[in-house]
Amino acid sequence: MLNNIDQRILEILQVDARISLKDLAAQVGLSSPSVSERLQRLEERGVIRAFTIDIDPQALGYQLQAIVRIRPLPGKLLMVQKLIEQTPEFCECDKVTGEDCFIARLFVRSIAQLDQIIDRIADKAETNTAIVKAQPIKRRPPPFGLA
């Protein structure tokens, strides 16, 4: 589990993963070497998986976001999974229990592009597509609370 200082480090990094080690140390009240060691331990334990960037798809011309529920036809599961993996517009995909096998999120520039992507899957799976109107909660980590 995480102690209060580790939680605070993670909270600060969520806001600005580019913060300098010196500034991060000052905000949590530790020395830079101590914070560096804590960061290394958090990475080794797999708590911190990556330091990354958050790209706005709209700034790249992707005006539409869709959620697609995908139910492969019998014997087509691996083929459909591979097709999803090879389609760059799919930005994330979960393999789930229930009637559908996959729930995927994709970004497209137009309805026509969405249709082209779905058409590639249509003979291998049943799909149900919903256009995202808004995203009240962006992807976020679970609470850091102590157990």
Side-chain angles (χ1 to χ4, degrees):
M1 289 298 136
L2 302 173
N3 65 32
N4 291 336
I5 294 174
D6 288 341
Q7 287 182 41
R8 182 71 183 126
I9 288 171
L10 293 174
E11 289 166 358
I12 293 166
L13 288 173
Q14 279 187 131
V15 174
D16 181 9
R18 293 179 49 151
I19 189 171
S20 72
L21 195 55
K22 178 182 173 186
D23 290 342
L24 180 58
Q27 287 190 38
V28 297
L30 295 176
S31 68
S32 292
S34 293
V35 170
S36 179
E37 287 177 25
R38 284 177 178 269
L39 286 172
Q40 184 175 351
R41 282 197 305 267
L42 288 168
E43 287 181 87
E44 288 170 355
R45 289 175 39 208
V47 174
I48 296 176
R49 294 188 294 195
F51 294 89
T52 187
I53 60 174
D54 183 16
I55 297 172
D56 181 358
Q58 287 190 336
L60 299 176
Y62 294 97
Q63 299 304 312
L64 297 171
Q65 182 179 166
I67 306 294
V68 184
R69 294 180 12 226
I70 304 166
R71 183 184 314 164
L73 297 174
K76 304 286 185 180
L77 181 95
L78 293 176
M79 184 183 304
V80 170
Q81 182 172 331
K82 190 171 205 70
L83 187 59
I84 294 168
E85 291 169 353
Q86 293 172 347
T87 304
E89 289 82 5
F90 283 106
C91 62
E92 60 185 60
C93 179
D94 295 312
K95 195 171 189 178
V96 297
T97 61
E99 290 186 23
D100 301 313
C101 289
F102 302 103
I103 298 178
R105 179 180 303 268
L106 71 153
F107 291 96
V108 292
R109 292 185 164 94
S110 66
I111 293 292
Q113 184 183 19
L114 177 61
D115 283 342
Q116 290 172 351
I117 292 168
I118 299 303
D119 285 348
R120 283 187 247 149
I121 299 172
D123 64 333
K124 299 164 194 64
E126 294 177 18
T127 62
N128 185 308
T129 304
I131 301 294
V132 175
K133 294 181 357 179
Q135 197 172 9
I137 298 175
K138 302 280 185 198
R139 177 176 290 263
R140 64 183 177 194
F144 301 137
L146 298 172

